[in-house]
Every structure is written in C-alpha cells, then in structure tokens.
Amino acid sequence: MRKFVWLGLLLALSGCATAPGPLDASSDVRAFVMALRDRDLPGIEARMDRPALQAQVTGIARAIAASEIAKRTGGGEGGQILGVLGADLANPLLERLSKQALEPAILADLARRAGLTPQTVLPSRTATGMGLKRLADGRVCAPDPQTKACILYFGRYPSGWKLNALDEAALRGRLAAPATPRTRR
C-alpha cells in the first residue's frame, strides 16, 4: 500500500512539474519585476510581448478617444460617427504614444513611482509562484494584493513567460483620467 501512495505522490508531483502554471512562471515573473526594480532596460524588453501590449493599449486609447469625441460633439448617432472618424484620424498618434508608453525606461519609472525601489526586497521564487493565479487560457496573472483582481498577465512563449496584457479596467482608468490642472505662476 505504501508503494502505491509514493507512486501516486510521485505521479502527482511530476504532473505538476510539466503543467504550465504559477510555479513554472515564477522565475520569469520575478525576473521581470527585478528588471523593473533595477532599471534593467534590456531585461524589461526581453520579458514583455510588446506587440500584444501595444495592440491592447492602442485599442483602449482609440476607444476612449472615440467616446470622448462623441461626447463632446453632442453624442447621438452623429456624435458616434464623428467619434469613430476622429479616432481613425488620431490612430497614428495613438499608436506612437502607446509605443512610447511601453518603452522599458517609462515602465521602470512607473514602477519606481508605484514604490518599487532598488531597496525593495522581492519575494522568493516559491512565494512569487504562490502569489500568481493560473488562468483557464494557460496564462498566469499577478493579482492586486488588496482586490485580488488580476492586474498583470503573463503568457508562455518559447523563450519563457512574458508580460502580454494589463488589466483593462485599470488601464482605462489611467488613460481616461483627466489631466491634473497646472497652476499658473
């Protein structure tokens, strides 16, 4: 009987080792965060799927622009048409801005402003793996500690796990947030 228990345990552990999931991704996710913390620009670039992120950011910015233009032109069907046309015209600018926003230096600066400093002690690989969530589509996500909602999504690539999406609600909130008014001096 003991042999069957050990055999079952061995099979279960070997199955866990081959199934992609949080522990499998933890080294790459931790390396991404370390690259952000240490401002390792090539390391950041190597651990993100820039085309996927840029398409997401551009799409959201385009939808926000179309909605804003429609709202400012009175809404309704005519406003919607003007919103789509305006977003179409602004698309090259939106693409350029989203590309710039995803530059490793910008991401490192955002991480620094969010509190990820060179003095930040990162959790171990095991703790990182335990903090990640496995998703039905094969990706893993890093949840917000307070809300437990996924905020960063990582997909598996031949070269390892890479950041390939951001929480859309949080990103929309950042993109749609009104600019802080400047005071005149």
Side-chain angles (χ1 to χ4, degrees):
M1 182 68 169
R2 263 174 79 175
K3 288 182 182 179
F4 289 116
V5 171
W6 281 108
L7 181 62
L9 183 59
L10 180 63
L11 289 173
L13 289 175
S14 66
C16 289
T18 59
L23 285 177
D24 183 38
S26 64
S27 290
D28 290 330
V29 171
R30 190 171 186 279
F32 176 72
V33 175
M34 287 174 69
L36 286 171
R37 180 193 68 186
D38 300 339
R39 200 175 170 78
D40 172 10
L41 304 183
I44 295 168
E45 186 71 47
R47 289 172 180 85
M48 64 184 218
D49 180 348
R50 182 185 286 275
L53 291 167
Q54 187 170 341
Q56 182 188 21
V57 172
T58 301
I60 293 170
R62 189 177 185 289
I64 291 170
S67 175
E68 189 63 28
I69 292 168
K71 191 178 355 175
R72 290 178 186 239
T73 57
E77 196 172 304
Q80 295 293 328
I81 292 170
L82 286 173
V84 170
L85 288 172
D88 283 347
L89 290 173
N91 201 52
L93 176 63
L94 295 174
E95 286 178 357
R96 188 167 58 240
L97 290 174
S98 68
K99 183 177 181 179
Q100 288 174 346
L102 292 169
E103 286 297 321
I106 300 294
L107 295 176
D109 289 344
L110 290 173
R112 181 74 39 95
R113 280 191 251 157
L116 187 63
T117 67
Q119 293 75 32
T120 303
V121 178
L122 299 179
S124 68
R125 178 183 176 268
T126 304
T128 301
M130 291 173 60
L132 297 173
K133 284 186 189 177
R134 180 191 312 245
L135 303 175
D137 64 2
R139 295 184 301 168
V140 297
C141 76
D144 180 296
Q146 280 80 34
T147 66
K148 305 298 184 219
C150 291
I151 53 174
L152 301 174
Y153 296 84
F154 295 85
R156 188 177 191 147
Y157 295 81
S159 61
W161 291 83
K162 294 183 178 189
L163 178 69
N164 66 2
L166 306 167
D167 174 61
E168 194 164 320
L171 189 55
R172 280 183 177 273
R174 296 265 184 195
L175 293 173
T180 42
R182 292 184 177 184
T183 56
R184 290 190 171 176
R185 291 182 187 205

